[in-house]
Amino acid sequence: WWAVPTLLACQTPPPATTSTRRAAALSPVLQRMQSTYPDLAAGRFISLADFESPGQELLFRCVGPDGTEGGRSQPTLSILRSRNETGAGGLKAHLGDATASLRFDGARSTEMALIRDWRPYSLLLMSVFAPPEGATLQFAVESGTRLPAHWSRTLSLKPGWNLHRLDVAIIGDRIDLADVRALSWRLPQATTAADLYFDDILLADNTQSVLGAQAGSGELYAFTRGRRIHVGARDRFELAFHDGLLVAWRSGSDENLADSAGLGPWPVPLAEDWASASSAPVAYDDPALFAAWGTAVAATQRIVEATPFRVIVAGRWVFGDGGASPTGDDSQPEAAPSHSWRYTVYPTGQVYVRVRSVAPPTGWGLPRVGYALAVSGQRDFRPILSAAQHAGDDQPDCVLLARPGGQRADLLWTWPHGLRLARQRDQTSADERRLAVIAGDLDAATVIDTAHLLRVWPTDIDGWPEATGFAADYAKPATIVMHTGRLLTDVPGDLDHDGFNESEGCYEFAANETALRFDFDPAPRLRFDPVFRVHETAGQRAWVYARGRLINTVGRDGDDNLLIWLGHVLSTRTAVEIHVAQDRGYDLERFQ
């Protein structure tokens, strides 16, 4: 392997300020790239191939299924097809049939090579030009020689130029990013020979801080990297979201405790006998389950709210024919068919999830619906299911995925009492890479709207007594005795209209003019980390008292409504009094 020439290896330094970026000496080609692709403005980047100088075409070769060139026409530089914003050159590759592929491995070049170490980067960008009828492109990345590994993804190409943004972390779940050896492309559905055109194959570090860049221990932070959104509480846990789903969970180490394809909860259609011991494992992640919903899925995600008190991430999958993309704005009219997730993350380790599914007119395809939660099968998780513990009216339905030993993160999954996902089963994949728990079952209605609680911290939810304590608190909220003001029962996300918003994990109130007074009665159980929200308090100053003492653990939601946290555990009846006034002078306190 030869050293990459200066033109291909130029990169911007990590930006500290705007003036730092302006001072960076970039070539004209890289300056055009930085102004064309927004991802390049946030951090350093490197051009694997820009096709603006002779010789780069030798990094590529067209090969058959045996990996040999076999007299095939080889790629050439082209000025007929290129991203005009970044230069005049592109790459033309002629693929003779569906078995032929374009391979980027540097085998034909004696002067240049593919960059092997991708670890400093978070995003792979590439521009591909498709014919008028569009195309389906199979893209793959390979690593290693002694222990080769392979990752692939099917990409849908629309006519004209397509910019694909691929998350390097997703690729790194399957291959060794320190030793990338080849990239390849082929047209698996081609019936005749076809020409493909490429431009600007780039690696970028597009990391951007959203919240808490200097967060202290136990404080929330959020940032974007690649195509992922990361949310965590310093020294406690970190979660990562991709295409709207929670795909990574770390606690105390770099090990991903979640199944890399997604933790869930995944909606899944179920047969009537799915939970019986004789039935086959539930293929909860099989795309064929939703084949009738559409031939393609457009996925989006966004940060809805980011404050020191909590972070909300919303994602949506919209099924269709691939001709339209959703806006990613979950305030827009609901699309059908679709799945949507809304994760509300608190620094206390509570993650409240609202999952809403809208089926097509043809329905779910099976009579029942449940949910799946999947973790890594290589992290010593031991499933404890409420279905096996004889849970009844006095015991909440829940699932505990515990790991033996101290200070090892455990996962509690539970849901409101009225949801009744009482039938459960666990299963391990044949390669033991994942452990999944499926809970059901609901009637396969056209619209299914559910709420869930995932508890990812503290790390000592090791047994059934601890699990049921947390689960019972969520399943049956505390009693609220109102004195002044109102308990609100019509806030979006409060699915059973009882004043506790099970989708966001807070009790909902409105003050009577300038005051709100109520008693919080935990009986008959302990209450963990209760949160109260007071609506119609935007722009107002607030004083909060519990048992007559001033409370400082106060924050604001994304609409500037008051949020209050009283403490980790409440066991006795507590009088809460809140006074509000115009011209708010109450600054956000750090949520401890």
Side-chain angles (χ1 to χ4, degrees), residues 10-17 20-21 24 26 30 33-35 37-47 120-123 125 202-209 224-226:
C10 283
Q11 60 189 33
T12 63
T17 63
T20 303
R21 289 197 297 268
L26 295 178
L30 296 182
M33 288 181 179
Q34 195 173 45
S35 63
Y37 303 113
D39 289 302
L40 307 189
R44 58 182 178 173
F45 65 94
I46 189 168
S47 172
Y121 305 99
S122 55
L123 195 68
L125 299 96
L202 310 166
L203 287 170
D205 175 14
N206 64 343
T207 303
Q208 288 187 307
S209 176
T224 59
R225 175 179 293 162

Side-chain angles (χ1 to χ4, degrees), residues 173-372:
D173 285 332
R174 296 294 181 184
I175 71 165
D176 181 5
L177 293 176
D179 189 24
V180 176
R181 293 285 175 161
L183 287 68
S184 63
W185 300 261
R186 70 182 186 91
L187 299 170
Q189 298 178 2
T191 57
T192 61
D195 292 331
L196 281 178
Y197 295 85
F198 294 81
D199 203 351
D200 299 337
I201 303 175
L202 310 166
L203 287 170
D205 175 14
N206 64 343
T207 303
Q208 288 187 307
S209 176
V210 176
L211 171 73
Q214 304 300 321
S217 182
E219 295 178 348
L220 277 179
Y221 61 87
F223 62 91
T224 59
R225 175 179 293 162
R227 292 185 56 194
R228 292 187 174 192
I229 296 171
H230 296 253
V231 179
R234 190 75 66 201
D235 301 325
R236 292 181 179 176
F237 63 86
E238 182 175 291
L239 310 174
F241 301 86
H242 180 77
D243 285 344
L245 264 178
L246 177 53
V247 296
W249 162 39
R250 292 179 171 84
S251 181
S253 73
D254 289 334
E255 295 179 338
N256 184 8
L257 302 177
D259 174 21
S260 60
L263 180 77
W266 299 83
V268 55
L270 299 169
E272 288 286 2
D273 63 345
W274 67 274
S276 68
S278 60
S279 63
V282 176
Y284 66 91
D285 58 345
D286 184 355
L289 291 175
F290 297 100
W293 291 39
T295 59
V297 179
T300 57
Q301 66 180 17
R302 66 187 181 106
I303 296 177
V304 174
E305 178 178 313
T307 73
F309 208 97
R310 66 183 193 176
V311 176
I312 300 178
V313 178
R316 178 179 288 178
W317 287 9
V318 177
F319 295 80
D321 60 4
S325 297
T327 65
D329 184 355
D330 59 351
S331 67
Q332 296 298 311
E334 185 169 66
S338 64
H339 299 308
S340 62
W341 294 265
R342 186 179 175 97
Y343 295 85
T344 301
V345 183
Y346 290 90
T348 52
Q350 297 154 297
V351 182
Y352 296 91
V353 192
R354 183 179 182 181
V355 186
R356 184 174 174 87
S357 299
V358 183
T362 54
W364 289 81
L366 290 172
R368 314 299 292 167
V369 172
Y371 294 89

Side-chain angles (χ1 to χ4, degrees), residues 378-518:
Q378 301 170 328
R379 305 290 183 240
D380 300 325
F381 281 105
R382 177 173 55 92
I384 305 175
L385 314 182
S386 60
Q389 300 292 326
H390 309 292
D393 289 338
D394 295 331
Q395 290 287 332
D397 292 332
C398 63
V399 170
L400 175 63
L401 293 164
R403 298 197 297 164
Q407 299 302 310
R408 304 186 75 198
D410 309 299
L411 177 62
L412 172 66
W413 173 29
T414 188
W415 42 87
H417 179 71
L419 187 55
R420 300 302 297 171
L421 301 178
R423 300 175 70 194
Q424 301 151 18
R425 66 178 296 180
D426 62 274
Q427 57 190 47
T428 302
S429 62
D431 60 5
E432 299 185 343
R433 292 177 61 93
R434 65 179 68 175
L435 166 65
V437 176
I438 297 90
D441 47 6
L442 308 174
D443 291 332
T446 300
V447 178
I448 299 181
D449 200 353
T450 62
H452 309 254
L453 169 62
L454 306 178
R455 190 106 199 194
V456 298
W457 191 87
T459 58
D460 57 356
I461 311 176
D462 296 313
W464 192 243
E466 299 95 329
T468 54
F470 285 114
D473 174 30
Y474 180 63
K476 295 183 178 181
T479 300
I480 304 295
V481 180
M482 296 301 306
H483 300 300
T484 303
R486 293 172 292 138
L487 179 67
L488 301 181
T489 59
D490 59 352
V491 177
D494 183 357
L495 302 183
D496 57 6
H497 307 292
D498 64 350
F500 176 69
N501 190 331
E502 60 270 28
S503 301
E504 296 188 20
C506 55
Y507 295 84
E508 307 279 12
F509 298 92
N512 182 11
E513 295 183 351
T514 62
L516 171 67
R517 298 182 181 89
F518 62 89

Side-chain angles (χ1 to χ4, degrees), residues 133-159:
E133 65 275 14
T136 296
L137 187 67
Q138 187 76 31
F139 173 63
V141 184
E142 303 168 27
S143 71
T145 53
R146 186 175 64 87
L147 294 173
H150 180 271
W151 174 90
S152 66
R153 180 64 54 87
T154 300
L155 306 175
S156 178
L157 302 182
K158 298 178 182 179

